[in-house]
Amino acid sequence: MPHRDVPGHDTPLHRDDLDAHLDSLPTGIVQDTRRLGAAGPGQQTSPPTTERLDPAPVEPGDGLTRGAPAHVGLRPPSYPSQPLRSPSVRDGDCFAALTPAVLLDGAQVGRLTVRAASVRGDSHNWEGSCRQDSVAVTRIGPAEAELLALAVADGVGSAAHSHEGSYRIVIQAARHLDREAESRHAALVARDESELRAIANKAIAGAVGALRLGPEHATTLHVLLVPTDPRIRERVLLSVGDGGLFVLRDSQWHHASPVDDGSLLDTRTEALPHAYRSVKARLLRSEPGHVLLLGTDGITNPLTQRDPAFAQHLAQAWGGPQAPSLSDFLWQAQTRAKSYDDDRTVVCVWEGAE
């Protein structure tokens, strides 16, 4: 098609017109060589030239296009690896319809690096139901007693509104834990596990009471509190239900969740709101070079399967001294294993050396 409507296309551009045109272009579109040098007295200036700064072509196999998430085992899971459909607002549950399939977060606090991802499971992708897991990454307490608060929650599948319960509990738990952050920090420094347990029960009970959760909102909850002061090596884990904490050291994953005291026959059935009086707490110590992994059972279950391929894969991916980028972490967190199709939520913490 002829360019009759383009000013100056059919006639040569004057120098002043070309200057004005170049100056009007957004930065980075062209390189204006007028500014690369200036003519001295008696020298003739060359006409301005432009060099297009087009991006380098993307070649196949350069690693920028990942395709389907990796899997362990001889065959991939039967479910497709991508969302097929999602709930509709017309279904009557706007919260479910507007819950994203993926949440991705991260933080850098001093020498602590955090990566977090919550991903809708393969079975929910297939069914078109929403993600029932939730995650939170935040800081609580004053500067002199600051704690990094990391939380994951897994809505119980049989509860009609557990997706809403998991979302609300991680937020409300952070608020209530912040109210007594100084006391919690002091108990942590003193290594007073009984006091930490008492404060934890009070905070979680307060969060449940404030939310007025019912059985239809049933959800697990795990909160890891990490002091941002690098001189304090203690951390505390608060747990209700399945999922929990693992520590990666020497290329091996070690289970670090609180052990049942025997008062409960089956801790896997524990969930809020009815279990608000049985929050378990564990005090632990970590060192630079360790990787802390907090997760729902969508990731902790395959970590503990008899076939070590999944655990070894993530140990290799996350065992280095540097935390992965957010996009790499999400990709790695989506590693698939046959028969493990639940929602998956994971938060990892890396600590750099002094």
Side-chain angles (χ1 to χ4, degrees), residues 47-91:
T49 60
T50 61
E51 176 185 352
R52 298 197 62 84
L53 300 182
D54 294 323
V58 176
E59 298 296 336
D62 63 0
L64 296 181
T65 302
R66 298 181 183 273
H71 68 85
V72 297
L74 297 178
R75 294 183 300 167
S78 301
Y79 288 114
S81 60
Q82 71 280 348
L84 299 181
R85 55 180 179 153
S86 60
S88 168
V89 171
R90 289 295 182 97
D91 295 336

Side-chain angles (χ1 to χ4, degrees), residues 86-101 103 120 128-135 155 159-171 211 213 216-217 219:
S86 60
S88 168
V89 171
R90 289 295 182 97
D91 295 336
D93 187 343
C94 283
F95 196 98
L98 298 175
T99 297
L103 281 179
R120 188 162 67 181
S129 55
C130 75
R131 176 175 47 82
Q132 295 172 332
D133 280 11
S134 289
V135 63
H161 296 286
S162 63
H163 52 286
E164 185 177 354
S166 66
Y167 173 83
R168 293 166 63 191
I169 195 62
V170 295
I171 296 174
L211 291 174
L213 296 178
E216 70 277 10
H217 298 100
T219 179

Side-chain angles (χ1 to χ4, degrees), residues 34-325:
R34 293 172 299 173
R35 298 178 178 85
L36 298 183
Q43 293 179 328
Q44 185 176 1
T45 59
S46 299
T49 60
T50 61
E51 176 185 352
R52 298 197 62 84
L53 300 182
D54 294 323
V58 176
E59 298 296 336
D62 63 0
L64 296 181
T65 302
R66 298 181 183 273
H71 68 85
V72 297
L74 297 178
R75 294 183 300 167
S78 301
Y79 288 114
S81 60
Q82 71 280 348
L84 299 181
R85 55 180 179 153
S86 60
S88 168
V89 171
R90 289 295 182 97
D91 295 336
D93 187 343
C94 283
F95 196 98
L98 298 175
T99 297
V102 174
L103 281 179
L104 184 63
D105 202 357
Q108 181 78 45
V109 183
R111 294 199 300 268
L112 299 171
T113 302
V114 180
R115 298 288 181 260
S118 184
V119 183
R120 188 162 67 181
D122 288 347
S123 59
H124 288 169
N125 283 335
W126 174 260
E127 298 164 356
S129 55
C130 75
R131 176 175 47 82
Q132 295 172 332
D133 280 11
S134 289
V135 63
V137 175
T138 190
R139 294 180 294 158
I140 62 174
E144 66 275 10
E146 188 178 68
L147 298 165
L148 192 60
L150 314 171
V152 300
D154 179 4
V156 175
S158 59
H161 296 286
S162 63
H163 52 286
E164 185 177 354
S166 66
Y167 173 83
R168 293 166 63 191
I169 195 62
V170 295
I171 296 174
Q172 199 62 237
R175 289 177 175 172
H176 279 262
L177 289 167
D178 179 66
R179 293 177 184 176
E180 295 191 39
E182 293 93 336
S183 299
R184 186 164 292 99
H185 188 275
L188 193 151
V189 172
R191 303 180 184 178
D192 190 339
E193 197 162 343
S194 61
E195 178 65 12
L196 286 168
R197 186 176 298 109
I199 296 173
N201 273 280
K202 180 180 178 182
I204 302 306
V208 170
L211 291 174
R212 298 182 180 179
L213 296 178
E216 70 277 10
H217 298 100
T219 179
T220 67
L221 176 66
H222 299 274
V223 183
L224 178 65
L225 301 176
V226 181
T228 58
D229 185 343
R231 297 170 297 180
I232 304 173
R233 308 306 320 161
E234 282 69 34
R235 289 84 175 90
V236 63
L237 174 67
L238 316 177
S239 294
V240 178
D242 50 14
L245 181 70
F246 282 76
V247 179
L248 178 62
R249 58 176 184 268
D250 301 325
S251 302
Q252 296 292 324
W253 294 104
H254 302 270
H255 200 277
S257 294
V259 177
D260 182 25
D261 60 8
S263 62
L264 301 170
L265 295 179
D266 187 357
T267 59
R268 291 175 297 174
T269 62
E270 285 301 287
L272 298 172
H274 72 270
Y276 69 89
R277 290 192 178 92
S278 59
V279 179
K280 301 176 185 66
R282 180 181 179 185
L283 192 65
L284 61 145
R285 184 181 179 90
S286 69
E287 300 293 342
H290 294 175
V291 179
L292 304 180
L293 182 154
L294 185 70
T296 60
D297 63 353
I299 195 165
T300 61
N301 281 353
L303 269 183
T304 56
Q305 64 181 312
R306 182 173 299 178
D307 183 349
F310 184 87
Q312 291 171 352
H313 181 86
L314 290 189
Q316 182 177 8
W318 295 339
Q322 299 294 328
S325 67

